[in-house]
């Protein structure tokens, strides 16, 4: 019965969550700590080591742990490094996987959070049994993980699958973080939806909208969603437009890797049909006939609060013994 | 010494070429026949069987042949079928691989011509030793083959890698064959280059150009290339524009699969720096910093006259014994 558990660690800019998971995706125990309180990665790792050692003892010690999986911003699967992550305080290249492996003496793999989400979905969620699918995370940003031939695509350098940064409208909206114009993330993220609403409010002064009751800096994806649910036409058009841009992007992705399914995860999916109807419509419209009416559009089957730990933990099952 | 040769067959809309190839990519013997003369696939296969049987006898008989590889329009690797190929006379679904395997009693695999080109480049050409690269064929149309983790990406249905049909300019130029607006093939193919030149001639009546000496229906990619070589500014701008569109598309592809190299093949590459300089410039400009200055842009290393046979034959080496 040894080696039947995996540790999952998800490093976010603000907090880190971690837990111990069995092969069926049950989280046996978990915890949380601040990432951003630590100016140095060394003190961060000391605290994490303390928390996790206790959890590992609770489940019977390191002999029961097959591996540690880590999801981290700009995480490179091949090197196990975090490389120049803009939203972490630790600058440059951090050899995080080998540092953790040194502390725990347990095999450790690391990748970015969207890739971890894809492996999690393949192991425990909506993509079980699939060999070809694309995971898209629609949150503050837009992330992605691509699986083909049953394997995650890491590319030659470990950084494949940055579909949020694909240009969907050449010369379009400026992305303040990257300087790119017209990238998917500028439209299909929480910030993108907010910016679309603000643009619509400016450009259509004659259109009444519940959103006009808010000062501009209080307009958020949450406020837009609530207005849309109440039937506000401008808010609904924001989703229609976002869905069009996302659907066109998905069509291009399908013609790249011809996945069995595209699995969507994150805040934007809560808008349900408001966004999914235009997504499907514009995806199908932009596909070559041989690809039409074949690709499943699915939502993640992992509980949002568990997904980060599960995704990271799933990396451990992929390790060769 | 048995099983050390492969048969390659490339089925084009007009002609079919075929040959017998050794592991180093030497074509030992080859031949050519009409595709379009055959209204029925059965008479086509009879003729092909006759030609190929003689060649196989020349190299010592079927015992020396490891397999047959076929490149064909709309060729599906999984099923071995040609499915609804618009430029062939045989309609519907043609189980070509199993028909050939029945005739020769030799294992047969089939895929589309651009995928075959990618396998050919990996086996004998510029992508030897690479595990992650993208092949783009720039001819009458734009085709592609994508290799990740050392394997061709076929997708869940065998049709992955239709990058010519990715939309690069939403709402852009109409593709008469597919009805899509703004697909890469509408710009980066021989027809695309010709249409760009005609547009430029119309929209810039004040610009002098050698191309004005031709009636519109005689303007071709060849004529444009010759004018550009003579320094004609309008013709050179055609390449600059085509290179920009192609470079932006390649950036998106890089952010998908992060290849070590992109390998270009076909007529358009003969324009050399005229097109490659803008391709590289706009590709790099549209990449996230983590991808910049990493991706090699290479030309195919296979002789154009041999590439189709070599690519198809390479499928045979991929077969499991």
């Amino acid at each position: 019965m040894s080696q039947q558990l995996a540790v999952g660690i998800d490093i976010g800019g603000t907090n880190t969550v971690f837990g111990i998971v069995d092969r069926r995706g049950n989280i046996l125990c978990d915890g949380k700590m601040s990432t951003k309180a630590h100016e140095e990665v060394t003190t961060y790792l000391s605290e994490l080591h303390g928390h996790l050692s206790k959890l590992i003892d609770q489940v019977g010690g390191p002999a029961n742990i097959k591996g540690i999986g880590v999801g981290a911003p700009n995480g490179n699967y091949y090197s196990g490094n975090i490389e120049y992550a803009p939203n972490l305080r630790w600058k440059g290249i951090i050899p995080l996987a080998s540092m953790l492996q040194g502390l725990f003496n347990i095999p450790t793999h690391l990748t970015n959070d969207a890739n971890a989400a894809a492996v999690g979905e393949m192991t425990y969620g909506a993509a079980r049994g699939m060999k070809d699918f694309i995971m898209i995370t629609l949150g503050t940003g837009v992330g992605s993980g691509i699986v083909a031939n049953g394997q995650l695509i890491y590319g030659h350098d470990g950084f494949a699958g940055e579909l949020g940064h694909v240009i969907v409208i050449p010369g379009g909206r400026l992305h303040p973080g990257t300087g790119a114009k017209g990238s998917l993330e500028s439209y299909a993220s929480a910030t993108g939806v907010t910016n679309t609403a603000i643009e619509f409010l400016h450009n259509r002064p004659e259109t009444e909208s519940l959103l006009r009751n808010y000062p501009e800096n209080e307009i958020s994806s949450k406020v837009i969603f609530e207005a849309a649910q109440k039937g506000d036409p401008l808010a609904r058009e924001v989703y229609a437009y976002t869905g069009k841009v996302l659907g066109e992007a998905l069509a291009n992705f399908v013609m790249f890797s011809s996945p069995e399914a595209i699995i969507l995860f994150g805040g934007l999916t809560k808008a349900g049909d408001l966004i999914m109807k235009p997504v499907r419509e514009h995806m199908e419209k932009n596909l070559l006939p041989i690809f039409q009416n074949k690709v499943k559009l699915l939502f993640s089957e992992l509980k949002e609060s568990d997904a980060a730990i599960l995704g990271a933990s799933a990396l451990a099952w992929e390790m060769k013994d």
Side-chain angles (χ1 to χ4, degrees), chain A:
Chain A
M1 284 304 290
S2 67
Q3 304 246 341
Q4 290 308 297
L5 300 172
V7 172
I9 302 170
D10 181 73
I11 304 176
T14 309
N15 289 310
T16 293
V17 293
F18 46 85
I20 299 182
V21 181
D22 70 16
R23 286 208 177 251
R24 294 174 163 232
N26 299 305
I27 297 178
L28 308 183
C29 51
D30 60 355
K32 186 174 171 176
M33 62 177 270
S34 174
T35 312
K36 107 181 141 184
H38 292 279
E39 202 178 330
E40 299 296 333
V41 70
T42 47
T43 67
Y44 168 82
L45 283 174
S46 298
E47 187 185 339
L48 181 61
H49 184 232
H51 295 308
L52 258 182
S53 297
K54 278 183 211 146
L55 296 189
I56 290 172
D57 284 346
Q58 280 177 32
V59 298
N64 290 337
I65 307 290
K66 180 165 192 295
I68 299 175
V70 186
N74 286 30
N76 186 315
Y77 180 77
Y78 295 134
S79 62
N81 298 337
I82 296 176
E83 307 192 6
Y84 308 100
N87 58 343
L88 294 181
R89 295 177 72 182
W90 321 318
K91 298 306 166 205
I93 296 180
I94 313 287
L96 200 101
S98 54
M99 290 168 96
L100 275 171
Q101 187 158 331
L103 285 172
F104 287 99
N105 201 21
I106 294 173
T108 303
H109 278 253
L110 169 151
T111 188
N112 74 40
D113 40 1
N115 283 343
V119 183
E121 218 62 52
M122 185 161 59
T123 311
Y124 315 114
R128 269 171 304 176
M130 288 188 193
K131 288 186 166 299
D132 301 275
F133 71 95
I134 298 177
M135 177 92 202
I136 306 275
T137 61
L138 301 160
T140 320
V142 174
S144 65
I146 303 154
V147 171
N149 295 326
Q151 299 174 300
L152 206 71
I153 297 188
Y154 290 110
H156 87 111
D157 60 354
F159 287 121
E162 286 291 349
L163 299 184
H165 299 289
V166 157
I167 305 298
V168 291
I169 300 180
R173 190 180 285 166
L174 180 72
H175 187 302
T178 66
K181 286 186 177 171
S183 60
L184 180 59
E185 186 164 281
S186 303
Y187 298 92
S189 61
T191 318
V193 167
T194 306
N195 286 337
T196 298
I198 292 169
E199 267 179 37
F200 282 15
L201 288 166
H202 281 283
N203 298 344
R204 307 173 184 193
E206 73 294 345
T207 310
E208 285 185 43
S209 170
L210 296 168
L211 299 176
R212 297 201 189 277
N213 301 332
Y214 296 86
E216 201 167 289
N217 62 9
E218 285 182 19
I219 292 179
S220 66
S221 55
K222 183 166 175 287
V223 164
I224 300 162
F225 176 55
E226 286 163 4
Q229 278 194 305
K230 288 175 192 153
D232 186 74
L234 191 138
R236 295 176 82 99
E237 271 188 65
V238 170
Y239 283 111
Y241 178 75
T242 308
K244 175 175 185 289
V245 173
L246 179 57
E248 290 174 354
L250 296 186
N252 280 357
F253 304 161
V254 168
M255 293 194 279
F256 198 103
S257 69
S258 197
E260 176 177 351
I262 293 173
I263 299 171
L264 302 170
F265 174 84
L268 212 55
T269 62
K270 292 191 190 118
D273 275 355
L274 281 174
I275 185 157
M276 293 314 294
K277 276 182 71 171
V279 165
R280 175 164 288 287
E281 179 194 335
H282 291 279
M283 181 181 86
E284 294 292 349
K285 209 166 110 179
N286 280 271
L287 285 172
L288 280 191
I290 50 166
F291 297 112
Q292 279 169 357
N293 304 310
K294 279 182 173 178
V295 185
K296 299 172 199 151
L297 276 184
L298 303 174
F299 291 137
S300 163
E301 286 182 5
L302 304 183
K303 252 173 65 186
E304 194 162 347
S305 55
D306 295 348
I309 290 172
L310 289 176
S313 78
L315 291 173
W317 307 128
E318 302 281 303
M319 294 174 196
K320 299 209 172 70
D321 288 314

